[in-house]
Amino acid sequence: MRRLPDVPPRGRAITVDLEGESLPAIEGEPVACSLIAAGEPMLARSIKYHRPRGPYCFAGACSHCLMRVDGVPNVYACRTPARDGMKLERQNAYPSAKVDIFESIDWFFPKGMDHHEMFAGVPVAEQVMAKVARQLAGLGLLPKTPAPVTAPARTVRTRVAVVGGGAAGLAAARVLTERDVGFLLIERDDALGGRLANGAPEAGGPSLDDIHRISPSSVLTRATALGLYDDEAGRFLAVGTWEADAPRLVKVYSERFLLTPGGHPPTLPFENNDLPGVYAGRAASLLLRRYDVAPETAALVGWGAELHALANLLQERGTKVVAVVDLRDTPPAGAHATAVRGSEPKAHGLRGVSAFSYTREGGGREKVSCDAVLVSVPVSPSFELARQGGAKVPFDEKRGLFVVETDADGRTQAPDVYAAGDVTGGGTAKDAAAAGRRAAQALVGGLS
Amino acid sequence: MSKAMICSCEDVTVDDIRHAVSRGFCDVESVKRYTGFGTGICQGKSCSAAVAALLEKEKALKPAAVVPFTPRPPLYPTELRMMASAPVDESQPPVGGLPQEVDAFPAALRPEGPVPAKAKVVIIGGGIMGLALAYNLARAGETDVVVLERGYLCAGASGRNGGGVRMQWGTPSLVELAKRSIELMKGFARELGINVWLRQGGYIFLAKTAPVAQRLERNVSLHNRFGVPTRLITPDEARDIVPGLTMKDCLIASYNPEDGVIFPWPFLWGYAQGCQKRGVRVETYTDVTGFETSGGQVRKVKTTRGDIACDTVVLAAGAWSPQVAKLVDVKLPNEPHRHEILSTEPLKPFLGPLVSVLDSGLYFSQSMRGEIVGGMGDAKEPAGLNMGSTLRFVSRFAQALMEQLPEVGHVKVLRQWAGCYDVTPDNNPILGRTPGLDNLLQMSGFVGHGFMMAPAVAERMAKWMATGESDELFTRFNLRRYSDAAGHSREFGTGTLEREDMVIG
């Protein structure tokens, strides 16, 4: 990964401190992005096997980028803005992440381990194992000092709480604005747009213009919905926010909850899928579009329209795309020149990706050198809030995903919970926007 | 080393999932518990779909049986200090809880085929009580036993508790049972081939009010009489054991270094496997729907998978026991009470003992995996089978924990959940024969500490059932004690009942 040459910087040049080493960064960008652009893709060692890890999803949906940041353990480096002089430490390694003697555990257990049966009932070995396991367990160290007290929680009441400012949420917010229905749009990122802003552009997809039609007072950014709770005053979202750069809890009571949180970049199980240098497809498009950071040479694997759109986007912006392996379908017309149908993907490298191999359909094994493997598969619906709110979440066999069940207008089986967009099973951004509009129209009709 | 990771938070490989299936763990909740997938920092965001797809593809589950494990709040790791900032009105009872999941098992998970048409013993409840009893019966030679469980193993309180095991009790019976249980736990892996990770880091009880201090003082001599090395310690000594512990308002503390914490789930799996090896049937996702009685005896247990004619029925359904007893017109005095609990991000070891403030019901310990696991009773909690989670709990707990251990303010909560205590009027269990239904045996009412009592209770009960030798446990804790000779309910607190007063929460 590198910063694109000949692109004006997006912010102030600063330095961050990685275990005593000073590294360049851009103020406000995710510090994980700064680190990979500075040539440090390994940010951690994994919990059990001490495998090298680097950021994967850039969405707070995995654990590959957890670091100790300014003395606080297990912080998502992918969601922490870079600040001048911030202190970053890699965790769970001895004596250091680069030379970690506990990496040997990975070699002792080539396929995995069953800690339930290991040494069970073997005299002495059992006790020794328990002692060793306790010392090896856990990720970060307890902070050394008490944390500053958080300001008291704030309570907000609104008619409609919309969770997620992507294609579906924006389209819904526009309808609510036009109908003059009070709402609060809750967005985890520091800007609205979701995949419209961060994904590989989709032909005929909706524009981002809806953002300008929404009153800023109806939007909370850097706001994470933590749960759909209830209490004596009704149902509310507990939302973790940042106000004046300090954390603040906000309780959002609402008559309707319109859930448009999209999906999480999922894991695709293949050999060495956790090696630093393997990134989710949406992470790659985010890094490129928002922060001008991209691989020099990339192999892509996955399926669906986003895979091929991403390959073309990267190619246009100067990345050398050396393989595009579609695991499900024959690549469509207009796909990248290297696109093939294939199987058995594998990443290669010791501390980070150096190559990628796969079996070409009707052919043999192919291996290409690259500095990144990008995994682009349909996102895994963020069904958690909907399930907490009482919606049904069946398994969609064909897609291999859990999806929130709704009718055509986004109604779930819970009367006050509506859902639209990727959370109901994915599709194009255009589909998501249309679903968001329909759901907003339907729920406005039911408001007294 | 090449590995295909399916859950990278907990380093679970594709092969680990297949291994779990080969051990008989097929539904998503059970695979989660056996492999640990989805229990790490991301709580299943990146791995749930991949695991589900693998289970479905490899025919471990029918598509309709593929349901996600319950997504617990908070949805993203959240600092305790932020949770502590939510307002709490202590004068009001808690309301609600998310998600309500008391009857949430889809029919597709039910095993195909009927249950056996007859069995000598039917045990209702596949928690630790029922399974430990079945295992002990089988060991004594009685293998014609069927255990009925309405969900997966670990779905009830046995899978939801904090894993604390202690000998510090207020009555001789419980001290003795707990001591024996911990002895059995030490040998569990040798006997049943599965690790339970007993770590004897001790229990420290803090007293902040005079009555509680007196209780602790009184108990020390009781414990010592049974060979339990409890001692009273000063606030300074407590701080030596747990650096960073604030001792504000603390009058005195008691400490038994031999108490500890275990990992609850493997007990159930170990007992269940031990049962199955000996021919006992353990039937999950099978509900009891009624009973057939005649001549003061239960003749048949009716289930969603057919009827079982039987000689003896044991009711070991924990907080669900009153509901099941009602099906056969037996009124039990137990009441379910929700107790909420949470777990944080895993940290390197820093906390040896389990610490509890008896006055407020706060308790916390560090699990083998490094998480802070803790809860806090709520005096205003109404009775009812509610297993939902509230923001109120997590806020109260965070405030109380930060007061006791200020360094945890930045520590992040990973998930919160709840289970039900099975509360009796005297905080003591109900054991033995049911008046009027001689072959219905009670084994419930353990008020949140059944898990740690089960190995010893089951050993005694199996012996009592198999040999017919009298055992004072089954008369002392018989259901009869709650009513007078004429069958009327007794007034509690009249001095006739010995009350256990070392219940947390």
Side-chain angles (χ1 to χ4, degrees), chain A residues 10 28-30 58-59 78-79 81 162-167 169-170 185-199 208 210-212 214 216 218-224 242 260-261 286 289-291:
Chain A
R10 301 224 184 195
E29 72 181 0
F58 273 87
C78 77
R79 303 204 70 79
V162 184
V163 179
L170 285 175
L185 174 57
I186 295 153
E187 168 56 47
R188 202 159 56 100
D189 206 349
D190 57 5
L192 294 174
R195 77 171 122 161
L196 301 181
N198 309 327
L208 268 170
D210 281 347
I211 289 178
H212 308 299
I214 301 169
S218 295
V219 178
L220 271 184
T221 52
R222 288 190 81 189
T224 307
W242 286 86
T260 54
L286 169 85
R289 290 189 68 188
R290 292 278 298 280
Y291 308 110

Side-chain angles (χ1 to χ4, degrees), chain B residues 79-272:
Chain B
E79 290 185 345
L80 282 161
R81 63 173 174 148
M82 184 186 265
M83 290 304 200
S85 74
V88 173
D89 183 353
E90 292 274 2
S91 70
Q92 294 300 314
V95 172
L98 78 90
Q100 301 290 316
E101 52 177 335
V102 173
D103 291 303
F105 304 115
L109 282 163
R110 199 175 294 156
E112 280 167 15
V115 287
K118 57 180 187 146
K120 270 214 181 114
V121 182
V122 174
I123 299 174
I124 301 169
I128 188 164
M129 280 294 163
L131 290 169
L133 177 64
Y135 172 72
N136 278 282
L137 285 171
R139 241 179 46 141
E142 182 52 82
T143 58
D144 190 11
V145 178
V146 178
V147 182
L148 301 173
E149 166 54 46
R150 56 185 283 281
Y152 52 92
L153 299 183
C154 303
S158 296
R160 293 168 179 267
N161 65 86
V165 293
R166 58 166 157 136
M167 305 174 217
Q168 294 190 61
W169 290 98
T171 50
S173 308
L174 292 194
V175 176
E176 210 183 344
L177 284 171
K179 188 164 184 260
R180 175 63 183 154
S181 266
I182 292 177
E183 228 172 276
L184 291 167
M185 288 173 175
K186 281 188 199 166
F188 194 90
R190 202 160 308 161
E191 187 166 345
L192 286 148
I194 191 161
N195 292 309
V196 294
W197 308 99
L198 170 66
R199 181 172 67 78
Q200 288 177 290
Y203 254 60
I204 294 182
F205 279 109
L206 306 181
K208 296 195 170 184
T209 53
V212 175
Q214 282 156 16
R215 240 189 278 168
L216 295 184
E217 281 164 14
R218 183 204 66 199
N219 286 344
V220 167
S221 58
L222 169 69
H223 298 167
N224 295 351
R225 192 145 44 87
F226 281 91
V228 175
T230 307
R231 59 178 200 267
L232 292 175
I233 55 174
T234 63
D236 280 342
E237 286 172 299
R239 253 193 308 263
D240 287 343
I241 301 167
V242 183
L245 199 61
T246 61
M247 301 300 287
K248 192 170 162 272
D249 303 330
C250 175
L251 302 174
I252 201 159
S254 73
Y255 176 55
N256 171 22
E258 293 184 3
D259 293 339
V261 289
I262 45 89
F263 186 33
W265 304 335
F267 279 95
L268 279 79
W269 303 328
Y271 279 131

Side-chain angles (χ1 to χ4, degrees), chain A residues 46 49 51 53 64 73-74 92 106 109 111 114 116-118 126 130 140 226 229-230 267 272-273, chain B residues 1-3 5 8 11 13 19 23 34 46 71 75 81 85 97-98 189 195 345 348 351 368 412 416:
Chain A
S46 74
Y49 302 114
R51 290 165 70 84
R53 290 280 162 82
H64 290 202
N74 304 336
N92 207 37
D106 196 28
F109 300 97
K111 293 201 142 188
D114 184 337
H116 302 299
E117 293 175 356
M118 199 190 310
E126 181 183 47
L226 303 171
Y229 291 94
D230 57 349
T267 294
N272 296 327
N273 59 346
Chain B
M1 181 53 69
S2 283
K3 282 188 176 71
M5 285 294 160
S8 51
D11 273 356
T13 65
H19 172 75
R23 287 283 184 278
Y34 194 80
S46 60
L75 296 181
R81 63 173 174 148
S85 74
L98 78 90
N195 292 309
E345 61 189 309
K348 293 290 175 197
L351 177 62
M368 197 67 191
K412 296 176 274 303
Q416 61 173 128

Side-chain angles (χ1 to χ4, degrees), chain A residues 7-90:
Chain A
V7 174
R10 301 224 184 195
R12 186 164 78 98
I14 55 166
T15 59
V16 295
D17 176 307
L18 175 64
E19 293 162 356
E21 195 186 341
S22 195
L23 296 175
I26 303 291
E27 189 171 46
E29 72 181 0
V31 72
C33 169
S34 316
L35 295 176
I36 58 175
E40 292 286 354
M42 193 206 345
L43 307 189
R45 287 282 176 163
S46 74
I47 195 157
K48 217 191 293 180
Y49 302 114
H50 288 245
R51 290 165 70 84
R53 290 280 162 82
Y56 171 73
C57 72
F58 273 87
C62 69
S63 60
H64 290 202
C65 69
L66 297 179
M67 303 187 84
R68 190 173 181 89
V69 178
D70 293 330
V72 178
N74 304 336
V75 173
Y76 277 122
C78 77
R79 303 204 70 79
T80 303
R83 288 186 308 274
D84 198 28
M86 76 195 302
K87 291 207 168 358
L88 301 154
E89 294 163 78
R90 299 180 179 101

Side-chain angles (χ1 to χ4, degrees), chain A residues 46-51 53 59-64 66 72-76 92 105-107 109-123 126-127 129-131 133-153 155 188 224-232 236 238-242 247-249 251 264-274 346 380 383-385 387-388 393-395 397 400-402, chain B residues 1-16 19 23 28 33-36 41-50 52-53 56 63 66-79 81-83 85-87 89 92-101 104 186 189-190 193-195 197-199 263 266 269 273 345-352 366-370 372 389-391 394 402 405-412 416:
Chain A
S46 74
I47 195 157
K48 217 191 293 180
Y49 302 114
H50 288 245
R51 290 165 70 84
R53 290 280 162 82
C62 69
S63 60
H64 290 202
L66 297 179
V72 178
N74 304 336
V75 173
Y76 277 122
N92 207 37
I105 301 170
D106 196 28
W107 295 86
F109 300 97
K111 293 201 142 188
M113 79 165 76
D114 184 337
H115 56 279
H116 302 299
E117 293 175 356
M118 199 190 310
F119 296 121
V122 181
E126 181 183 47
Q127 278 98 37
M129 177 184 64
K131 287 218 161 67
R134 161 116 162 125
Q135 293 308 314
L136 287 178
L139 271 179
L141 297 163
L142 183 71
K144 292 203 173 83
T145 50
V149 174
T150 311
T155 295
R188 202 159 56 100
T224 307
L226 303 171
L228 181 42
Y229 291 94
D230 57 349
D231 67 8
E232 56 282 354
F236 65 95
V239 182
T241 66
W242 286 86
R248 180 107 186 226
L249 189 70
K251 291 172 81 176
H264 310 296
T267 294
L268 179 65
F270 61 85
E271 280 185 71
N272 296 327
N273 59 346
D274 60 334
K346 179 176 178 176
S380 185
F383 60 79
E384 299 86 359
L385 279 178
R387 167 73 177 79
Q388 289 180 352
V393 182
F395 184 69
E397 281 168 80
L401 298 171
F402 290 113
Chain B
M1 181 53 69
S2 283
K3 282 188 176 71
M5 285 294 160
I6 201 156
C7 157
S8 51
C9 298
E10 289 298 313
D11 273 356
V12 179
T13 65
V14 171
D15 289 308
D16 287 330
H19 172 75
R23 287 283 184 278
V28 174
R33 282 166 180 75
Y34 194 80
T35 64
I41 297 280
C42 95
Q43 292 290 292
K45 293 184 190 76
S46 60
C47 58
S48 273
E56 197 268 331
V66 185
V67 284
F69 62 76
T70 313
R72 304 288 176 190
L75 296 181
Y76 290 86
T78 305
E79 290 185 345
R81 63 173 174 148
M82 184 186 265
M83 290 304 200
S85 74
D89 183 353
Q92 294 300 314
V95 172
L98 78 90
Q100 301 290 316
E101 52 177 335
K186 281 188 199 166
R190 202 160 308 161
I194 191 161
N195 292 309
W197 308 99
L198 170 66
R199 181 172 67 78
F263 186 33
W269 303 328
Q273 284 165 7
E345 61 189 309
L347 297 165
K348 293 290 175 197
F350 71 94
L351 177 62
Q366 193 177 18
S367 73
M368 197 67 191
R369 290 157 41 117
I372 301 174
S389 294
T390 64
L391 185 63
V394 72
M402 284 167 65
L405 209 59
E407 279 78 12
V408 300
H410 277 305
V411 173
K412 296 176 274 303
Q416 61 173 128

